[in-house]
Amino acid sequence: MIRDVIVHLLSEQPVVADLFEMPTGRDNGLVCQNLRSLDGRKPIFIERSDSTFFFPYQHIRFIEIVKDRQARSSTESDTVVPESAPSPEPDEQLEIDEDFLRRIREV
C-alpha cells in the first residue's frame, strides 16, 4: 500500500489517497481508497470515504508520489524501487565575495 499519494484531478482540487500498487502503463485508471482532501476532510463529490475508488486516467492530470512513501511501500510489498542518484559533494571551500560582505556591513 502506497499511502498519501496526491492525485490532481481535472477541474477539481487535488485529493489524497492510498494506492494498492504503483500505476503501470497497462492500467486504464487509478484504483485507490481512503480518499480525502488535502486538509483531511471528505471531498464533497463522494458519498463514503471508506469505499474503493477508480479514476480513469482521462480525468487525472498527474499523480504525486512522495519518494519516501514510495520507498516505504516497497519494503512492505517487496518490490524493487531504484535508488536515487548520489547527491553531489558540497564544496569544501566556499569563495567569499569581500565586496558583497562590505556592502552588507555598511547597511
Side-chain angles (χ1 to χ4, degrees), residues 2-7 15-19 63-66:
I2 304 170
R3 301 197 185 281
D4 300 330
V5 172
I6 302 173
V7 181
V15 292
V16 180
D18 297 339
L19 302 182
I63 303 166
E64 272 183 84
I65 302 175
V66 181

Side-chain angles (χ1 to χ4, degrees), residues 30-61:
L30 186 71
V31 179
C32 58
Q33 65 181 164
N34 193 17
L35 196 64
R36 57 212 181 272
S37 62
L38 291 176
D39 61 4
R41 291 186 280 169
K42 179 183 76 141
I44 60 171
F45 57 86
I46 65 171
E47 182 66 31
R48 297 180 52 147
S49 59
D50 60 345
S51 302
T52 299
F53 300 92
F54 176 81
F55 291 103
Y57 283 143
Q58 65 188 12
H59 296 288
I60 298 175
R61 285 191 332 210

